[in-house]
Amino acid sequence: GRGNPVRAPRTGGTTAQRRIVISAVRKPAPIWSPPKDEEARDLENSGRWVEVATPVNGGDDLVYGGNYYGVSGANDDPARYRENELLIARCIYRMCAFGDVPYILCGDFNVTPSKSEVIRAAVAEGVVVDLGVAHAPDPDAPENTFNQAAHLEPGMGGKGISRIDGVLANPTAAAAVLGVKYRWDLAAIDHVPI
């Protein structure tokens, strides 16, 4: 079977911290929770990752998606960077377990993809496609998504500004993606939805 519909938990994270993962869609679609192996359950138990499957083509096919919330401060702190890299590697490993089935991994990775050894290696090996780069007008300068000062605008750059939010896809899903849109009109606080 495809699993059971996903229901939002009443509480989440630890008692000291609650993590929220939000995905915006144009129109509601049924969402199913894919079967999970021990690795996926461990990722889910980290409180930093969720996974869903959405039916497409009249319900005949499924597109899988993961959403990851990276370790805060991973861009600048070596210990947090290592912890974050391990979790990103596990998320990408999970994506690879789906083979040629379309899978998209979104998230606030809390590390710039060009600084992530794991993301760089996965892109170099052709395991994942960084959709923000693949669909950028200038692939050498993809759009930044985070501004520490909470002043969000297209083309922003400078101190405290980075591209820590992203969308990674396996090659099958990447081939079906027609473009990437930064939703400046929905931008809240310090991150831009993609």
Side-chain angles (χ1 to χ4, degrees), residues 5-194:
V6 173
R7 289 182 178 42
R10 294 184 193 275
T11 61
T14 65
T15 54
Q17 181 177 13
R18 182 173 181 182
R19 297 178 187 97
I20 299 172
V21 179
I22 299 172
S23 294
V25 294
R26 186 172 297 210
K27 55 184 185 176
I31 296 177
W32 302 91
S33 179
K36 293 184 176 61
D37 59 14
E38 185 176 340
E39 176 72 19
R41 284 190 296 277
D42 286 348
L43 263 175
E44 196 169 58
N45 289 337
S46 76
R48 297 188 169 279
W49 176 85
V50 295
E51 183 179 65
V52 297
T54 301
V56 295
N57 298 331
D60 293 336
D61 298 306
L62 295 171
V63 172
Y64 291 84
N67 199 322
Y68 173 68
Y69 173 61
V71 177
S72 296
N75 233 4
D76 301 313
D77 180 286
R80 291 177 179 181
Y81 174 84
R82 285 189 298 279
E83 178 185 358
N84 199 47
E85 287 288 281
L86 177 62
L87 287 166
I88 291 171
R90 292 172 72 188
C91 291
I92 291 173
Y93 178 81
R94 173 68 177 174
M95 178 191 296
C96 291
F98 284 81
D100 291 336
V101 174
Y103 195 109
I104 297 172
L105 177 64
C106 306
D108 172 356
F109 292 94
N110 270 319
V111 67
T112 305
S114 62
K115 288 185 177 181
S116 168
E117 294 173 43
V118 171
I119 294 173
R120 282 195 333 260
V123 169
E125 291 294 320
V127 174
V128 301
V129 175
D130 181 338
L131 296 177
V133 170
H135 292 280
D138 177 358
D140 292 327
E143 194 71 64
N144 286 313
T145 61
F146 172 77
N147 185 339
Q148 206 170 28
H151 178 72
L152 301 166
E153 61 187 4
M156 62 185 179
K159 186 172 173 51
I161 296 173
S162 61
R163 189 173 82 89
I164 60 175
D165 306 286
V167 182
L168 306 175
N170 67 5
T172 306
V177 174
L178 301 176
V180 172
K181 184 173 184 177
Y182 294 83
R183 296 298 308 265
W184 301 100
D185 58 319
L186 298 178
I189 308 174
D190 52 4
H191 293 265
V192 177
I194 304 170

